[in-house]
């Protein structure tokens, strides 16, 4: 039975029905739809719209239908317009006319936004969990490479020596910011829209606060018109997915470069590589490349929704049917990508000796010369100029700046005496940077300890939030 049509003399044209049909993709919300309907039925019982016996029968039928959906014995058919009509069809098949009673006091407008919020809560927490596990893998790789010195880069040019563990740990910071964004999202969006009706609120369920608490929400939206048209929470989620994708893409770019023969910093496990259909020797870093490539989809999905939302009048408009497919795509792609990236890291072999072999090339210790002079009370501007002259002399002699002799340095400036030599090593350059955010061994060790503490805190939060929404049924 259709959810509307009493005032129409005929059904929709075939082309209209095809255009309007969303059940092919919004069926992903079926379990959330059932959970929301159970809470709504209990609200109808409290309002005495349904008797206790009627409500109990409907709740039992909804729980049975949930099991049928989970097993695959019940699904949508060609006659269903959307997930709402499919679920009502299933309940009506079990209860007859009573199956249509639970629609009282709510609209598809407030129902779909509630379903969608629950879906996003569930899946954002799953994404957060996967991101935390990826950060664990990166930190483990960082700890395993604490003794490896690497050339640090800016503009893809050798800059200054760093610990390779510092290089790896930077990705954990970016990923854990994504988890923080998910925390912020949940704090801001844990508000139930159910009870808003089509746009004016419900005249039959006057206490939506109770239903909100039953569903795990912290409160209820205060404006019913805003509630049914709000898709800020969807745009914010898509931004989180896009930002996470960008972080994965940047890591994928580095891994792709490190895996080249020219760099040779890392060898990927066969299980996380692919070959060529024509060149038997090829072993390609496809996981890293797909991490880059899929980011275009995440950014595109965000852009698509923002364009859809631009200029929409209040309250609900059918344009909002277009909000779900971008989210479903981003979620499903991320939950496929994240375990693969983690596996690539866990099984990778880093070649520490090779990473360290060229660490001083490109005049990487030039800054140490300037810092040495600053400690002798030379202004940094002047010290920078003197260091640059030393680099120019090294270029003329065809060597890196640290290879100049003591007499060479003295010829550039008499203050570059033999005490400078103690500063001209990768180890001294690294250990000199002992600030809390620096690359010294102590700083990086502390940094990783702090990352591990944040990972533990994030894991605890994810578990807590999952428990809060434990009544929610996952797809």
């Amino acid at each position: 039975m259709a959810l509307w049509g009493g005032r129409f003399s005929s059904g929709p044209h075939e082309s209209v029905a095809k255009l309007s049909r969303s059940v092919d993709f919004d069926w992903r919300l079926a379990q959330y739809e059932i959970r929301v309907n159970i809470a709504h039925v209990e609200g109808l019982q409290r309002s005495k719209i349904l008797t206790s016996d009627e409500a109990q029968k409907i709740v039992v039928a909804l729980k049975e239908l949930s099991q049928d959906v989970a097993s695959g014995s019940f699904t949508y058919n060609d006659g269903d317009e959307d997930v709402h009509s499919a679920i009502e069809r299933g309940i009506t098949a079990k209860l007859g006319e009573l199956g249509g009673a639970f629609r009282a006091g709510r609209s598809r407008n407030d129902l779909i936004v509630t379903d969608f919020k629950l879906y996003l809560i569930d899946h954002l927490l799953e994404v957060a969990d996967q991101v935390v596990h990826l950060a664990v893998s990166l930190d483990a790789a960082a700890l395993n490479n604490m003794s490896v010195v690497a050339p640090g880069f800016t503009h893809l040019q050798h800059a200054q020596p760093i610990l390779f563990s510092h290089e790896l740990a930077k990705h954990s910071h970016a990923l854990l910011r994504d988890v923080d964004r998910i925390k912020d999202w949940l704090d801001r969006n844990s508000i139930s829209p159910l009870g808003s009706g089509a746009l004016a609120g419900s005249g039959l369920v006057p206490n939506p606060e109770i239903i909100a608490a039953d569903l795990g929400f912290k409160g209820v939206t205060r404006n019913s018109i805003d509630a049914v048209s709000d898709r800020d929470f969807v745009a914010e989620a898509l931004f989180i997915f896009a930002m996470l994708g960008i972080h994965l893409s940047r890591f994928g770019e580095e891994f792709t470069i490190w895996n080249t023969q020219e760099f040779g910093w890392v060898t990927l496990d066969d299980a996380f590589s692919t070959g060529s259909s024509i060149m038997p020797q090829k072993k390609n870093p496809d996981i890293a490349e797909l991490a880059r490539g899929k980011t275009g989809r995440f950014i595109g999905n965000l852009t698509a929704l923002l364009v859809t939302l631009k200029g929409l009048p209040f309250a609900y408009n059918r344009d909002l049917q277009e909000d779900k497919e971008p989210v479903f795509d981003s979620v499903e792609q991320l939950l496929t990508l994240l375990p693969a990236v983690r596996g690539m890291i866990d099984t990778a072999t880093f070649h520490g000796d090779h990473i360290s072999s060229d660490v001083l090339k490109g005049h990487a210790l030039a800054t140490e010369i300037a810092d040495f002079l600053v400690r002798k009370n030379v202004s940094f501007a002047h010290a920078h100029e003197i260091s640059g002259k030393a680099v120019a002399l090294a270029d003329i002699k065809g060597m890196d700046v640290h290879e100049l002799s003591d007499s060479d340095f003295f010829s550039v400036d008499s203050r570059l005496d033999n005490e400078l030599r103690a500063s001209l090593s990768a180890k001294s350059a690294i250990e000199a940077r002992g600030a809390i955010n620096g690359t010294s061994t102590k700083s990086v060790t502390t940094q990783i300890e702090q990352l591990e503490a944040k990972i533990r805190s994030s894991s605890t939060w994810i578990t807590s939030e999952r428990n809060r929404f434990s009544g929610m049924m996952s797809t």
Side-chain angles (χ1 to χ4, degrees):
M1 175 178 154
L3 301 186
W4 55 274
R7 61 94 65 209
F8 289 82
S9 60
S10 66
H13 187 274
E14 179 183 351
S15 63
V16 174
K18 185 175 181 180
L19 178 64
S20 298
R21 181 179 167 90
S22 62
V23 70
D24 304 279
F25 55 85
D26 67 21
W27 183 247
R28 292 170 176 82
L29 303 176
Q31 293 287 13
Y32 305 97
E33 171 91 0
I34 291 169
R35 177 67 187 98
V36 173
N37 275 318
I38 289 172
H40 178 67
V41 167
E42 292 168 348
L44 291 174
Q45 180 185 341
R46 285 190 293 271
S47 300
K48 303 190 183 306
I49 302 300
L50 293 174
T51 67
S52 175
D53 182 59
E54 289 171 334
Q56 181 64 21
K57 287 180 180 177
I58 296 172
V59 168
V60 168
L62 283 165
K63 290 181 177 179
E64 289 175 354
L65 190 63
S66 173
Q67 295 174 355
D68 296 341
V69 170
S71 69
S73 61
F74 179 83
T75 189
Y76 62 89
N77 64 26
D78 292 340
D80 294 323
E81 180 182 5
D82 51 31
V83 64
H84 316 296
S85 56
I87 294 300
E88 185 162 330
R89 174 176 59 81
I91 294 301
T92 302
K94 291 177 179 291
L95 299 177
E97 187 175 345
L98 180 60
F102 69 96
R103 199 198 309 167
R106 64 157 177 77
S107 163
R108 286 188 296 183
N109 295 1
D110 61 343
L111 181 59
I112 189 59
V113 71
T114 309
D115 295 352
F116 204 16
K117 273 196 173 182
L118 290 176
Y119 169 92
L120 269 169
I121 289 167
D122 194 15
H123 288 80
L124 277 165
L125 289 172
E126 176 60 24
V127 168
D129 189 54
Q130 292 285 346
V131 171
V132 165
H133 281 90
L134 180 54
V136 169
S137 295
L138 282 163
D139 289 351
L143 283 171
N144 289 336
N145 289 277
M146 282 295 295
S147 63
V148 177
V149 176
F153 292 86
T154 64
H155 307 278
L156 274 181
Q157 304 292 314
H158 281 219
Q160 292 175 275
I162 58 171
L163 289 182
F164 187 57
S165 53
H166 196 49
E167 186 81 59
L168 291 170
K170 74 177 189 284
H171 294 292
S172 291
H173 289 280
L175 292 171
L176 291 174
R177 286 197 299 273
D178 294 322
V179 175
D180 284 343
R181 290 186 184 94
I182 293 172
K183 291 179 182 178
D184 293 341
W185 183 98
L186 200 60
D187 182 62
R188 184 166 42 259
N189 293 298
S190 183
I191 305 295
S192 173
L194 198 67
S196 298
L199 83 160
S202 173
L204 300 178
V205 185
N207 295 305
E209 299 91 339
I210 299 174
I211 297 175
D214 289 345
L215 292 171
F217 291 110
K218 294 179 179 178
V220 178
T221 52
R222 289 297 190 253
N223 186 293
S224 56
I225 303 173
D226 176 58
V228 297
S229 59
D230 169 38
R231 291 302 185 275
D232 293 8
F233 71 97
V234 186
E236 288 180 21
L238 286 170
F239 171 77
I240 292 169
F241 298 147
M243 197 71 246
L244 173 57
I246 287 169
H247 290 149
L248 294 173
S249 178
R250 295 182 73 180
F251 181 76
E253 170 71 0
E254 285 192 350
F255 237 70
T256 302
I257 292 171
W258 294 347
N259 185 241
T260 61
Q261 290 186 18
E262 286 72 18
F263 264 71
W265 285 16
V266 65
T267 297
L268 302 183
D269 189 83
D270 285 358
F272 291 91
S273 306
T274 64
S276 165
S277 61
I278 191 172
M279 294 173 285
Q281 83 281 10
K282 291 300 295 295
K283 183 178 177 181
N284 300 324
D286 282 19
I287 304 304
E289 292 172 349
L290 286 168
R292 287 186 319 203
K294 287 189 178 295
T295 298
R297 292 175 71 158
F298 304 141
I299 296 169
N301 286 336
L302 170 61
T303 303
L305 180 73
L306 293 175
V307 174
T308 298
L309 297 179
K310 178 186 174 296
L312 278 187
F314 286 73
Y316 182 83
N317 299 274
R318 195 58 182 273
D319 312 51
L320 294 176
Q321 179 174 303
E322 299 300 313
D323 64 349
K324 284 170 277 302
E325 287 179 285
V327 168
F328 296 151
D329 180 65
S330 289
V331 165
E332 289 160 15
Q333 293 300 319
L334 273 173
L335 292 179
T336 299
L337 178 61
L338 284 163
V341 172
R342 183 185 177 198
M344 179 183 71
I345 295 165
D346 286 341
T347 59
T349 301
F350 295 98
H351 304 297
D353 290 344
H354 196 65
I355 293 170
S356 301
S357 62
D358 292 333
V359 69
L360 297 184
K361 284 192 174 180
H363 309 297
L365 296 178
T367 305
E368 307 313 304
I369 299 171
D371 286 355
F372 174 81
L373 289 168
V374 168
R375 294 187 187 98
K376 287 181 172 282
N377 297 317
V378 178
S379 72
F380 186 78
H382 190 34
H384 188 284
E385 183 178 359
I386 293 168
S387 180
K389 289 179 179 178
V391 169
L393 178 59
D395 280 338
I396 291 170
K397 289 176 170 286
M399 60 179 63
D400 278 299
V401 71
H402 69 283
E403 296 173 318
L404 290 173
S405 67
D406 290 352
S407 60
D408 288 331
F409 283 120
F410 194 79
S411 71
V412 173
D413 191 283
S414 61
R415 287 164 290 194
L416 296 179
D417 54 32
N418 57 9
E419 292 179 3
L420 172 62
R421 189 62 56 188
S423 301
L424 295 183
S425 71
K427 180 176 175 57
S428 64
I430 286 169
E431 298 305 332
R433 281 148 181 83
I436 192 170
N437 54 1
T439 190
S440 72
T441 302
K442 181 180 179 181
S443 299
V444 174
T445 300
T446 301
Q447 174 191 172
I448 294 173
E449 289 172 353
Q450 291 171 341
L451 284 169
E452 290 175 336
K454 187 164 186 178
I455 284 168
R456 290 191 296 270
S457 173
S458 296
S459 295
T460 299
W461 172 80
I462 291 167
T463 300
S464 173
E465 290 302 292
R466 281 176 163 169
N467 289 338
R468 183 156 71 90
F469 288 96
S470 59
M472 180 173 51
M473 302 173 187
S474 179
T475 52

